[in-house]
């Protein structure tokens, strides 16, 4: 609607075998929600029987989004990052950051996790929850990191190329609007 902040997305899917299923994920992305104590991604997933169309499940899309996005980053990290990667920089401290910590631990052997966020309190809460270390700045989190996960709603770049370690693998999943970006040119 006019004057509304955010994005509304619809993601339909169909699976034919082994059991036909229709699905629709609808999600509203509202960058200011953390100031309200809410997740930035709110929505639902509807699952329908692929033969009859009967509704078989309604799911909260926020955890599905957290898990799916981080899982895709884990697959990319396993395929593209250096095999000996040990240092992971997580930029951001929301749901996507948390999901990415768990995902990186699933594909890397006991990595060092560094967390930076513009909201230091949020970074400290997340670090305490997941056993990571808080970095005082984005560049300090990135120093020597072989894997980088950007999970923010940054409007202007928070990562400069010169801060990246040679051969670093970057999972850039935040800032999903055409007028926002996390990485410099």
């Amino acid at each position: 609607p006019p004057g509304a902040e955010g994005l509304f997305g619809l993601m339909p899917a169909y699976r034919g075998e082994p059991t036909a299923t229709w699905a629709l994920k609808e999600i509203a992305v509202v960058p200011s929600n953390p100031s309200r104590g809410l997740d930035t991604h709110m929505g639902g997933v509807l699952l329908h029987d692929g033969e009859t169309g009967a509704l078989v499940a309604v799911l909260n899309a926020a955890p599905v989004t957290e898990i799916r996005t981080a899982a895709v980053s884990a697959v990319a990290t396993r395929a593209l990052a250096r095999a000996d990667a040990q240092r992971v920089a997580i930029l951001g401290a929301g749901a996507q950051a948390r999901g990415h910590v768990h995902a990186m631990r699933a594909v890397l052997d006991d990595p060092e996790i560094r967390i930076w966020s513009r909201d230091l309190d949020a970074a400290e809460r997340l670090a305490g929850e997941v056993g990571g270390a808080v970095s005082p700045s984005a560049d300090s989190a990135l120093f020597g990191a072989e894997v980088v996960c950007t999970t923010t709603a940054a409007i202007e770049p928070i990562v400069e190329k010169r801060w990246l370690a040679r051969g670093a693998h970057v999972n850039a999943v935040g800032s999903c609007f055409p007028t926002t970006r996390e990485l410099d040119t």
Side-chain angles (χ1 to χ4, degrees), residues 17-147:
E17 297 291 331
T19 305
T21 306
W22 288 328
L24 174 67
K25 177 177 156 187
E26 57 84 16
I27 196 143
V29 181
V30 183
S32 62
N33 267 358
S35 67
R36 299 175 178 102
L38 298 171
D39 196 357
T40 57
H41 293 66
M42 307 290 273
V45 177
L46 305 175
L47 296 178
H48 294 266
D49 180 285
E51 291 182 28
T52 68
L55 182 64
V56 295
V58 178
L59 305 165
N60 179 351
V64 172
T65 300
E66 177 181 336
I67 292 165
R68 191 222 49 95
T69 303
V72 171
S73 291
V75 169
T77 299
R78 181 180 286 163
L80 301 172
R82 296 193 307 232
D84 62 349
Q86 283 299 301
R87 293 170 293 230
V88 177
I90 305 284
L91 305 185
Q96 281 300 322
R98 181 179 52 251
H100 277 74
V101 170
H102 297 306
M104 294 304 105
R105 285 195 172 132
V107 297
L108 299 173
D109 185 29
D110 194 29
E112 171 192 342
I113 302 291
R114 303 175 191 161
I115 299 167
W116 171 82
S117 174
R118 289 170 286 203
D119 182 342
L120 182 59
D121 291 337
E124 288 174 351
R125 282 191 302 276
L126 180 60
E129 176 187 332
V130 300
V134 175
S135 291
S137 63
D139 61 325
S140 67
L142 294 169
F143 183 77
E146 294 99 354
V147 176

